[in-house]
Amino acid sequence: MSKKNLFICMILVAMMAMGLTACGAKKEETTQVRVGYFNNVTHAQALLMKSEKTLEQKLGKEVKWTAFNAGPAEVEALFAGDIDIGYIGPVPAISANVKSNGDVKVLAGVSKGGSVLIQRKDAGIQSVADLAGKTVAVPQFGNTQHLILLKLLDDSNLKPVTAGGNVTVSAVANADVANTMGRGDVDAALVPEPWGATLIEQGAQMVLDQNQVYLEGQYDVAVVVVRKEFLEGNKELVDQFLEQHEAATKRIQEQPEEVQKIINGELKAATGKNLSDSIMKEAFGRISFRTDYNTEAMSDFASLSKEQGFIKELPEEGQLYANGEGEK
């Protein structure tokens, strides 16, 4: 055999060996699933599964639960690969999808409604039109409640002061709204539950309930997102997660009183405080727990986010949802 032929044979043998090694190599198995969530009733499925460890039982793996206080922090954790699946508001979900070029996708719905417009007692606000010249609190600029408020103002031909109008919009943490109302610093607030029920119990008054603020209550207030890499590498695990998410949703629908007690206990364990039974019942009464998502609401939120400069472009068609379709 010539040196040239020998050299070619050696290369072929080496390539065959590499191929066999690659074929025989096993993909490293995922041993831990990392889930992000908020300690809030709008993330009830996460709280229920965490409390009862049903997800661990189904997956047969360790589940690391990480609580967040705000959407941006959870988005950063998704970008860093610190969590695989997250319960999060629809607006930060859209932002994460755009900023990651589609690498963070909406997997399922969680809850709808649950946002209310509240006024401090005797503020004289009977409708959105009465917000002219008033100060309105939202939990965070660029979040779901903020965008709902901006749409309400626009529909009533009003604008925030920052856009040349006469409605002052102020970002106030939910837990601080009661104090700011008490001091007269804000006249109204568009807040998620259970803060609406809490404020009412403390003397504030309802202006618009969850069905009146937007889309007759059929807007997403929380969704599930997943990292594309995790989804593609662990499809069976993600399917099993969805089974448990759907089972938890069904249980919330069918056994509300029992579930509310479990979730209240989980909130107390995590925060040191629980909610009164009356607040829990009232808050849950304004939230619809469903696993579908409303693409009309998501599209509106995306457009408003772009108009306000929170995202530079709209999500690419077919890139926002994990199933690649417009409707789940």
Side-chain angles (χ1 to χ4, degrees):
M1 182 181 294
S2 67
K3 290 183 177 180
K4 180 179 180 181
N5 288 338
L6 178 62
F7 180 69
I8 292 173
C9 287
M10 290 174 65
I11 292 176
L12 290 174
V13 169
M15 290 176 65
M16 290 175 63
M18 290 173 64
L20 290 171
T21 301
C23 291
K26 291 184 179 179
K27 181 182 176 182
E28 187 175 343
E29 184 180 0
T30 300
T31 59
Q32 183 187 72
V33 179
R34 301 162 300 175
V35 184
Y37 71 105
F38 287 16
N39 280 306
N40 194 294
V41 296
T42 55
H43 294 203
Q45 293 95 325
L47 293 169
L48 180 60
M49 288 191 290
K50 178 177 182 292
S51 177
E52 300 194 325
K53 299 187 181 301
T54 52
L55 189 56
E56 288 88 336
Q57 295 167 14
K58 177 67 177 180
L59 301 181
K61 300 179 184 297
E62 179 188 357
V63 177
K64 180 182 178 182
W65 296 90
T66 302
F68 294 90
N69 293 318
E74 186 167 347
V75 169
E76 288 302 318
L78 285 161
F79 288 171
D82 293 334
I83 59 173
D84 307 306
I85 295 171
Y87 286 76
I88 197 169
V91 175
I94 291 167
S95 177
N97 176 266
V98 172
K99 292 177 181 178
S100 68
N101 296 315
D103 286 340
V104 175
K105 295 182 178 293
V106 175
L107 182 64
V110 176
S111 52
K112 292 178 171 57
S115 297
V116 293
L117 180 62
I118 303 292
Q119 68 161 334
R120 61 179 173 80
K121 187 176 181 180
D122 300 327
I125 302 170
Q126 302 301 319
S127 67
V128 176
D130 296 327
L131 295 178
K134 305 290 188 181
T135 297
V136 186
V138 294
Q140 188 178 28
F141 290 136
N143 85 329
T144 306
Q145 287 72 38
H146 182 211
L147 295 190
I148 289 175
L149 175 63
L150 293 178
K151 182 163 180 57
L152 281 171
L153 295 178
D154 186 61
D155 290 345
S156 296
N157 296 314
L158 294 174
K159 294 180 180 180
V161 168
T162 52
N166 62 353
V167 180
T168 300
V169 180
S170 178
V172 180
N174 290 317
D176 297 330
V177 172
N179 289 333
T180 58
M181 277 190 172
R183 294 194 304 264
D185 294 338
V186 300
D187 305 296
L190 209 158
V191 294
E193 291 297 351
W195 301 102
T198 301
L199 289 169
I200 289 172
E201 187 174 84
Q202 294 174 353
Q205 299 167 325
M206 179 78 73
V207 178
L208 299 177
D209 67 20
Q210 76 283 358
N211 296 321
Q212 296 169 314
V213 294
Y214 179 51
L215 281 182
E216 297 181 344
Q218 298 309 302
Y219 50 91
D220 296 282
V221 72
V223 295
V224 178
V225 295
V226 62
R227 290 191 298 108
K228 180 182 177 182
E229 181 183 11
F230 183 81
L231 173 65
E232 292 178 344
N234 301 277
K235 291 185 177 180
E236 184 178 350
L237 272 182
V238 173
D239 285 342
Q240 291 174 332
F241 165 83
L242 284 173
E243 287 178 15
Q244 289 306 301
H245 174 66
E246 290 169 2
T249 303
K250 185 176 181 181
R251 189 166 169 207
I252 293 167
Q253 294 168 345
E254 295 179 351
Q255 302 173 341
E257 293 184 2
E258 178 183 336
V259 168
Q260 286 168 31
K261 291 179 180 178
I262 294 171
I263 290 174
N264 213 357
E266 184 65 25
L267 291 175
K268 184 175 182 180
T271 67
K273 298 179 181 179
N274 61 359
L275 301 170
S276 68
D277 291 343
S278 61
I279 287 178
M280 284 291 288
K281 184 176 181 179
E282 188 174 347
F284 268 72
R286 297 196 184 102
I287 304 169
S288 173
F289 293 95
R290 288 163 43 185
T291 59
D292 63 326
Y293 39 73
N294 187 330
T295 56
E296 178 185 354
M298 297 292 282
S299 179
D300 275 355
F301 288 146
S303 296
L304 283 166
S305 293
K306 185 174 182 295
E307 288 174 15
Q308 296 298 315
F310 297 119
I311 55 175
K312 294 182 179 180
E313 57 188 2
L314 295 175
E316 291 188 20
E317 186 175 354
Q319 291 295 311
L320 179 57
Y321 305 106
N323 63 2
E325 299 175 357
E327 189 70 51
K328 180 176 172 64

